[in-house]
Amino acid sequence: MTRPEAAAGHLWDGGWYRFARHEPSPNFRPRPAGADIDLIVVHSISLPPGLYGGPEVQELFCNRLDWEAHPYFKSIEGLQVSAHFYVRRDGQLWQFVDCDHRAWHAGRSHYRGRDECNDDSVGIELEGIEHGHFEPAQYETLAGLCAAIAQRYPVRHIAGHEHVAPGRKQDPGSGFDWARLQRCLGWPVEFFPRPTQP
Ligand SMILES: [Zn+2]
């Protein structure tokens, strides 16, 4: 029988997932001491919105995006953000920040009775647009990744940016199929956001 630590060691090199492409971002800080990393936050992003397949999201997260390259980029000029992970439309997986560190994805946020979700969550960006649909390959990669995260961290909650910053953020939105992810993972429904939020 494989001990859980041994299984996690196979999947992880510290807070770096072995089965992702690694492109380290400077946009992170240490987590607060004793952070209880029990939350995964799911997002959607594409740059410019709705255009897929380019290098712009990786460039944004690594502070290399050319703000002059597209009119939309002027509207986010100077933004310094990151996520731990990025899942492309074809399921390809990138990692930018060590999961033991705090990435800059949730912003002002509140969930399961706690503020500042960046402190104690892992952020995953899906290539897509708010309220758009996501590809089967993305659900597959996302489910495998969430299971791996739960091998290393005591995950008890998974939610969208829209749930941790309601009114301010809408991603991933109505096109994301939480029930599908729940079936893939086999996690208790209590781990997932309630279908309707006030
Ligand atoms: Zn988001």
Side-chain angles (χ1 to χ4, degrees):
M1 205 173 106
T2 313
R3 287 172 298 118
E5 325 73 281
H10 169 68
L11 297 171
W12 295 92
D13 179 10
W16 291 94
Y17 184 48
R18 292 187 193 274
F19 300 97
R21 296 171 184 224
H22 299 161
E23 186 161 2
S25 165
N27 301 335
F28 71 91
R29 288 289 180 272
R31 294 186 186 273
D36 179 23
I37 305 165
D38 64 349
L39 170 66
I40 293 171
V41 180
V42 178
H43 304 254
S44 62
I45 190 171
S46 46
L47 290 173
L51 278 190
Y52 303 148
E56 290 84 358
V57 171
Q58 296 96 305
E59 290 172 354
L60 175 68
F61 290 162
C62 294
N63 300 343
R64 285 191 283 101
L65 184 64
D66 175 6
W67 309 113
E68 309 296 330
H70 188 279
Y72 177 79
F73 300 162
K74 298 299 284 181
S75 70
I76 57 168
E77 186 170 357
L79 192 66
Q80 291 195 338
V81 290
S82 62
H84 294 94
F85 295 101
Y86 175 47
V87 182
R88 306 222 63 164
R89 302 297 288 182
D90 63 1
Q92 193 184 98
L93 179 64
W94 292 75
Q95 183 173 3
F96 305 95
V97 173
D98 181 326
C99 292
D100 290 352
H101 290 141
R102 181 187 193 278
W104 302 347
H105 56 97
R108 204 170 65 252
S109 50
H110 179 89
Y111 200 69
R112 53 11 174 168
R114 280 138 67 180
D115 291 327
E116 289 297 322
C117 294
N118 283 339
D119 284 349
D120 42 22
S121 69
V122 173
I124 304 174
E125 297 274 0
L126 304 176
E127 187 176 22
I129 49 168
E130 287 165 13
H131 306 302
H133 87 287
F134 296 88
E135 298 292 340
Q138 292 184 293
Y139 286 99
E140 214 170 283
T141 296
L142 177 62
L145 175 61
C146 289
I149 293 168
Q151 291 265 321
R152 182 170 165 80
Y153 303 97
V155 175
R156 290 291 176 276
H157 306 274
I158 179 165
H161 203 183
E162 63 197 285
H163 303 107
V164 307
R168 191 173 68 82
K169 292 291 177 179
Q170 295 187 41
D171 60 305
S174 54
F176 185 76
D177 189 345
W178 289 100
R180 178 178 184 154
L181 182 63
Q182 194 261 330
R183 283 195 306 275
C184 288
L185 282 166
W187 290 356
V189 288
E190 295 76 28
F191 284 25
F192 291 80
R194 281 190 297 262
T196 51
Q197 293 279 317

